[in-house]
Amino acid sequence: MALRDTWIKQRLAEGAARGDDNVTQMHFAHMGVITEEMRYVAQREKLSPELVRDEVARGRAIIPANIRHKSLEPMGIGVAFKCKINANIGNSATASDIDQELEKLRVSVHYGADTAMDLSTGGDIPKIRQAIIDHSPVPIGTVPIYEAVTRVRRMEDLTPGLMLEVIEEQAAQGVDYMTIHAGVLFEFLPLVRNRITGIVSRGGALLAQWMAFHHQQNFLYDHFTDICKIFRKYDVSFSLGDGLRPGSLADASDEAQFAELRVLGQLAKKAWEYDVQVMIEGPGHIPMDQIELQVQKEKEMCYEAPFYTLGPLVTDIAPGYDHITSAIGAAMIGWHGAAMLCYVTPKEHLGLPNADDVRQGIIAYKIAAHAADVARHRPGARERDDALSYARFLFDWEKQFELSLDPEGARTMHDETLADPYYKEAKFCSMCGPKFCSMNASQVADSYTGQSQEERKARFVQLLTKIDLPGTPAIQPPAAEPVAVPEPSAKSS
Ligand code: SF4
């Protein structure tokens, strides 16, 4: 039986007795209830369950947890929690299959992705998505317009009815959050004409194409309350998409970007009327000196809903290295208050990432998110840094590897030159060698003044007792028994 089966069954039964089909975490938070998911998140964050509930109730945190995602291990996204990272997986029309996508999911979870987005745009999209949801212990996000577009000959043929159908199908499958580009309004289209890179969001550009052809308003905006009604039945969270995000430094912080952001804030308020959880997506390509401004604007215009940012990339000149250009911006925006960072791989703008690109992107973003946690003085954030530093100084190579974000990578690099087990006791590595190892020389200096390393070792051992090293969460097999979830009623849809 999956972790949440009993929790959900019980809540559904209680809801049915009350005649209440709203199952969102925000709904329970507003009723003053601390759900099991909130307790679980509180334990993971080392915070009180009451604080988690209160953050969800005021919209400053979300727990993306569709009641049909049975293999999920609940996690929270919000400024009061540790900074999270998302990994994008999914195929394109020209590459990849289910096995490759599950391998990307495995790599993502293994290296510490907190959520994963399935951005598949080709092949049997529902089948790939179901496999990913069934195997994933982390929340799964999607951009439903991608699948909707594959069901019509051209974007202009898409209808609001088909869009809602796809959204409901994905919700019923167990998707935990969806990117909905409802803030790209018809009247904003002229604002991007003078940009260098126009509209770079796939969803934003497709909607612009539809609106320009039909001379009509964005149907995601017009039908926003219909989407809220679907989301509250399954507890799908909004990730309100930044369809007009800047795709180059020259386009950063312009009128189009902030016009859309203001609408996203209004939509967040609308979603909260239905107790639907919301986070707000952010840029993009932003120079370092504008990053703090981005967070200030989001807080001000979107009422502190969790900010979920792509990067941002802080320079445009490094194709092939955009996991680095964006991780610099991600660390900064996380420090200023972004709640989740969407990774970028080295293949950004160049091709579909493979499993190794995914690994590189995740490691870069784990570094960025952790650096943000340390800078924001989140409780216990620096303990692992201090422990690794003790291990380094005391030449405890095994612990040094274990405490690393990428233990296999660190060990491989060490062993490239000094592979013999003897060197796991050595007081040097091949960088400086025995005679010039500064940390060894420092210990020798200590010994000349009568100081041993015992006290330092004792502090190290004590510190290790406080650290929960993330294990590798198991990729879940599909649960055997479905949770009994009432079919959507005509009344509420
Ligand atoms: S040899 Fe140099 S790089 Fe290696 S552990 Fe010692 S100080 Fe560090």
Side-chain angles (χ1 to χ4, degrees):
M1 181 181 276
L3 177 68
R4 299 169 66 221
D5 275 0
T6 326
W7 308 349
I8 294 168
K9 271 181 189 161
Q10 189 172 338
R11 286 206 298 267
L12 286 172
E14 289 165 3
R18 288 195 308 273
D20 179 1
D21 71 347
N22 192 329
V23 296
T24 72
Q25 295 291 320
M26 188 180 224
H27 188 55
F28 290 105
H30 281 157
M31 293 193 293
V33 174
I34 295 172
T35 62
E36 292 84 350
E37 285 86 348
M38 292 172 201
R39 277 186 209 288
Y40 196 91
V41 168
Q43 213 169 11
R44 290 181 92 166
E45 298 287 342
K46 300 191 172 107
L47 296 170
S48 76
E50 288 76 15
L51 179 83
V52 173
R53 178 198 57 199
D54 294 348
E55 289 292 299
V56 172
R58 66 181 284 184
R60 210 163 60 168
I62 67 167
I63 299 176
N66 187 314
I67 56 171
R68 294 205 173 170
H69 185 177
K70 285 164 278 175
S71 53
L72 180 75
E73 295 170 15
M75 53 77 73
I77 302 166
V79 73
F81 306 160
K82 288 194 263 308
C83 190
K84 303 302 188 303
I85 69 161
N86 170 70
N88 288 336
I89 57 174
N91 70 0
S92 73
T94 55
S96 189
D97 57 23
I98 288 189
D99 289 342
Q100 286 178 42
E101 294 316 316
L102 287 180
E103 174 58 10
K104 288 183 202 168
L105 174 69
R106 191 195 65 74
V107 169
S108 302
V109 173
H110 176 73
Y111 285 102
D114 298 293
T115 75
M117 289 193 80
D118 172 19
L119 303 184
S120 292
T121 53
D124 190 341
I125 296 175
K127 196 169 166 195
I128 292 176
R129 184 172 53 243
Q130 192 66 65
I132 289 173
I133 292 168
D134 290 345
H135 289 78
S136 179
V138 301
I140 296 297
T142 59
V143 187
I145 198 168
Y146 295 173
E147 185 186 349
V149 170
T150 65
R151 297 199 191 178
V152 289
R153 197 173 60 82
R154 47 184 202 142
M155 177 61 198
E156 292 80 348
D157 300 333
L158 188 56
T159 62
L162 177 58
M163 187 70 246
L164 291 174
E165 204 177 290
V166 171
I167 289 172
E168 177 116 26
E169 281 173 22
Q170 295 197 4
Q173 265 190 317
V175 171
D176 300 289
Y177 65 94
M178 293 187 205
T179 294
I180 302 291
H181 298 97
V184 186
L185 300 191
F186 182 67
E187 52 270 37
F188 298 159
L189 299 186
L191 302 179
V192 300
R193 281 193 193 126
N194 290 327
R195 282 180 164 186
I196 290 183
T197 45
I199 301 176
V200 295
S201 147
R202 286 193 280 201
L206 289 166
L207 285 161
Q209 192 180 324
W210 189 93
M211 288 187 281
F213 180 81
H214 291 283
H215 287 273
Q216 283 178 23
Q217 188 53 280
N218 179 346
F219 49 77
L220 293 171
Y221 180 79
D222 280 347
H223 289 268
F224 193 74
T225 54
D226 295 322
I227 304 172
C228 292
K229 288 173 186 171
I230 295 171
F231 280 13
R232 71 178 180 182
K233 285 185 294 181
Y234 302 93
D235 199 1
V236 179
S237 300
F238 275 108
S239 184
L240 288 176
D242 54 341
L244 298 181
R245 69 170 172 266
S248 53
L249 299 190
D251 297 343
S253 310
D254 69 356
E255 203 186 340
Q257 193 202 338
F258 290 138
E260 181 189 35
L261 189 65
R262 192 168 290 108
V263 175
L264 297 186
Q266 293 159 5
L267 294 171
K269 272 192 154 177
K270 174 61 68 184
W272 290 338
E273 286 172 20
Y274 291 84
D275 286 345
V276 173
Q277 306 184 90
V278 177
M279 57 184 169
I280 306 287
E281 293 187 8
H285 293 237
I286 301 286
M288 281 164 65
D289 58 308
Q290 293 177 29
I291 286 179
E292 188 174 5
L293 171 79
Q294 292 287 326
V295 181
Q296 281 168 1
K297 291 272 186 196
E298 192 273 347
K299 276 170 78 173
E300 187 186 305
M301 293 181 186
C302 300
Y303 314 99
E304 299 189 277
F307 200 19
Y308 167 32
T309 63
L310 175 71
L313 289 75
V314 295
T315 172
D316 299 336
I317 61 166
Y321 299 90
D322 277 338
H323 59 315
I324 299 174
T325 61
S326 65
I328 293 168
M332 289 183 68
I333 209 160
W335 171 30
H336 289 300
M340 184 157 79
L341 311 171
C342 182
Y343 89 161
V344 171
T345 75
K347 286 266 179 66
E348 183 76 0
H349 296 306
L350 298 174
L352 188 71
N354 60 28
D356 191 56
D357 299 320
V358 167
R359 183 188 66 82
Q360 289 196 54
I362 290 174
I363 296 291
Y365 273 68
K366 289 302 282 184
I367 296 168
H370 181 73
D373 286 340
V374 171
R376 288 187 71 85
H377 302 276
R378 290 194 164 103
R382 218 192 62 194
E383 286 165 356
R384 188 166 164 187
D385 299 76
D386 294 350
L388 195 142
S389 299
Y390 275 121
R392 182 173 279 156
F393 189 80
L394 295 166
F395 299 103
D396 186 336
W397 291 101
E398 291 300 336
K399 272 281 173 283
Q400 194 181 151
F401 300 147
E402 204 184 315
L403 288 159
S404 304
L405 279 179
D406 178 9
E408 300 100 319
R411 181 185 292 279
T412 304
M413 285 187 202
H414 175 270
D415 290 0
E416 199 179 306
T417 46
L418 298 176
D420 193 290
Y422 164 79
Y423 292 110
K424 300 296 185 308
E425 306 284 322
K427 295 197 167 195
F428 61 90
C429 75
S430 62
M431 171 79 189
C432 323
K435 200 169 177 184
F436 289 94
C437 176
S438 57
M439 293 191 290
N440 185 36
S442 176
Q443 289 192 22
V444 171
D446 281 347
S447 71
Y448 289 154
T449 56
Q451 293 174 58
S452 78
Q453 299 304 320
E454 291 314 309
E455 202 188 312
R456 191 172 264 129
K457 276 184 195 160
R459 291 200 300 266
F460 175 39
V461 170
Q462 174 61 28
L463 186 55
L464 283 175
T465 62
K466 293 192 193 171
I467 296 170
D468 305 323
L469 273 183
T472 302
I475 295 287
Q476 303 294 321
E481 289 297 319
V483 177
V485 177
E487 283 308 313
S489 65
K491 169 176 80 73
S492 56
S493 62

